[in-house]
Amino acid sequence: MIDHRSHDYPNLLQRWRAVARAAGLKLEPFAEAGGYELFHFRSPALQATGGIYISAGIHGDEAASTEGLLAWAQKHAHDLATWPLQIFPCLNPWGLVRNVRTNEQGIDLNRAFSRRQIPEIRGLHTVVGRRRFAAALHLHEDYDAQGIYLYEIRDNPPHWGEPLIAAAQKIIPADPRARIEDRVSRLGIIRRRLDSLHIRRIGGLPEAIFFYRRGTPHCITFETPSEFALEIRIQAHVAVLDETLRLLGHSS
Ligand SMILES: [Zn+2]
């Protein structure tokens, strides 16, 4: 049974609190922005290096990301404390409630990871610290998409794009387009090189490149097609999360 109040932030938080309770974890506030309090949690298994960073809802019009992350956490409530995780359930509540991409200042937070004057970015930097994760997973949606796809940085093999797409393809086929957002795509995988020119052209530092530069080797931006039914988009996010954990040797 899916709860369709996917743009109701207090309701989302309430459901996260229930998961946290079941998991024996505590949601901690890390910023206040647009009149909303933002939360994250760290599992006790998380060490100084390694582990997995997961965020959703940086763009408020991508509700299957926040719902998918929650559905995954509900599914694994009894394992969450034993897996090394830092999770940000919703990075842009103001946008989620209004179903818009940006925050209340009109800023695309996924182009603003070097701007510490923005409260939600400053708060995130503080609670993440200098941690080098084994993987960072950024959950998104795209209304132009014709299937699932992901971005992965090319510089650092082994790549995870293929197994992640294979897992999510069981739910939604990969986007067949050869170019997506002006980038070459192959079977739903956009494997880009890290380049500062690109960062300047798109207008600021994305979350994935922020983590990559800080020593996280696998930084994956996963996208579901937001014109597809909510329930299967949620399941596609769950599949990618499960596969990420499996690749790092954590499964239930
Ligand atoms: Zn997005």
Side-chain angles (χ1 to χ4, degrees):
M1 177 64 193
I2 301 280
D3 188 327
H4 286 284
R5 296 171 67 182
S6 57
H7 289 277
D8 181 340
Y9 183 64
N11 181 263
L12 180 74
L13 267 187
Q14 210 176 353
R15 290 180 285 147
W16 267 106
R17 287 193 197 289
V19 174
R21 236 184 343 263
L25 296 163
K26 197 171 166 350
L27 287 175
E28 306 272 5
F30 70 93
E32 216 184 289
Y36 299 92
E37 202 159 21
L38 280 68
F39 293 88
H40 78 113
F41 71 82
R42 270 185 288 242
S43 67
L46 192 68
Q47 311 277 311
T49 56
I52 307 163
Y53 168 97
I54 309 168
S55 78
I58 194 169
H59 294 141
D61 54 348
E62 303 176 1
S65 72
T66 38
E67 290 297 318
L69 180 52
L70 175 66
W72 175 81
Q74 287 168 334
K75 177 180 167 190
H76 298 292
H78 297 291
D79 293 307
L80 290 182
T82 66
W83 292 340
L85 303 168
Q86 186 165 13
I87 291 186
F88 291 77
C90 181
L91 289 177
N92 179 12
W94 186 93
L96 182 75
V97 168
R98 288 157 185 83
N99 196 23
V100 297
R101 181 177 177 90
T102 63
N103 76 355
E104 80 284 8
Q105 299 160 294
I107 295 167
D108 181 342
L109 293 170
N110 201 30
R111 301 288 181 266
F113 261 70
S114 55
R115 297 173 62 184
R116 284 182 63 93
Q117 68 274 27
I118 300 169
E120 47 276 54
I121 299 294
R122 183 171 58 246
L124 187 149
H125 283 201
T126 304
V127 295
V128 163
R130 303 300 303 179
R131 190 181 302 281
R132 299 147 68 107
F133 294 93
L137 197 55
H138 318 289
L139 304 179
H140 285 256
E141 298 209 88
D142 176 358
Y143 55 81
D144 287 326
Q146 297 169 15
I148 51 153
Y149 67 88
L150 59 80
Y151 296 92
E152 174 173 46
I153 294 161
R154 187 192 302 188
D155 311 29
N156 210 358
H159 298 127
W160 284 7
E162 283 80 4
L164 292 177
I165 289 290
Q169 274 219 99
K170 293 176 184 155
I171 317 288
I172 299 176
D175 193 316
R177 291 175 295 165
R179 288 192 83 80
I180 296 176
E181 301 280 328
D182 210 25
R183 297 240 140 192
V184 174
S185 172
R186 218 182 100 73
L187 308 172
I189 299 168
I190 303 167
R191 197 165 275 143
R192 57 192 182 182
R193 286 192 189 290
L194 199 57
D195 87 65
S196 345
L197 201 71
H198 171 68
I199 296 169
R200 232 173 308 152
R201 203 172 50 229
I202 63 175
L205 186 65
E207 189 181 19
I209 298 179
F210 169 81
F211 281 99
Y212 187 81
R213 282 180 169 174
R214 287 179 157 220
T216 296
H218 300 284
C219 299
I220 304 287
T221 303
F222 177 65
E223 307 263 356
T224 50
S226 51
E227 296 295 307
F228 285 42
L230 179 63
E231 195 153 341
I232 60 164
R233 285 148 49 206
I234 291 171
Q235 289 315 313
H237 284 279
V238 171
V240 152
L241 286 159
D242 276 342
E243 182 63 12
T244 301
L245 272 286
R246 197 193 65 78
L247 286 165
L248 285 168
H250 309 286
S251 358
S252 62

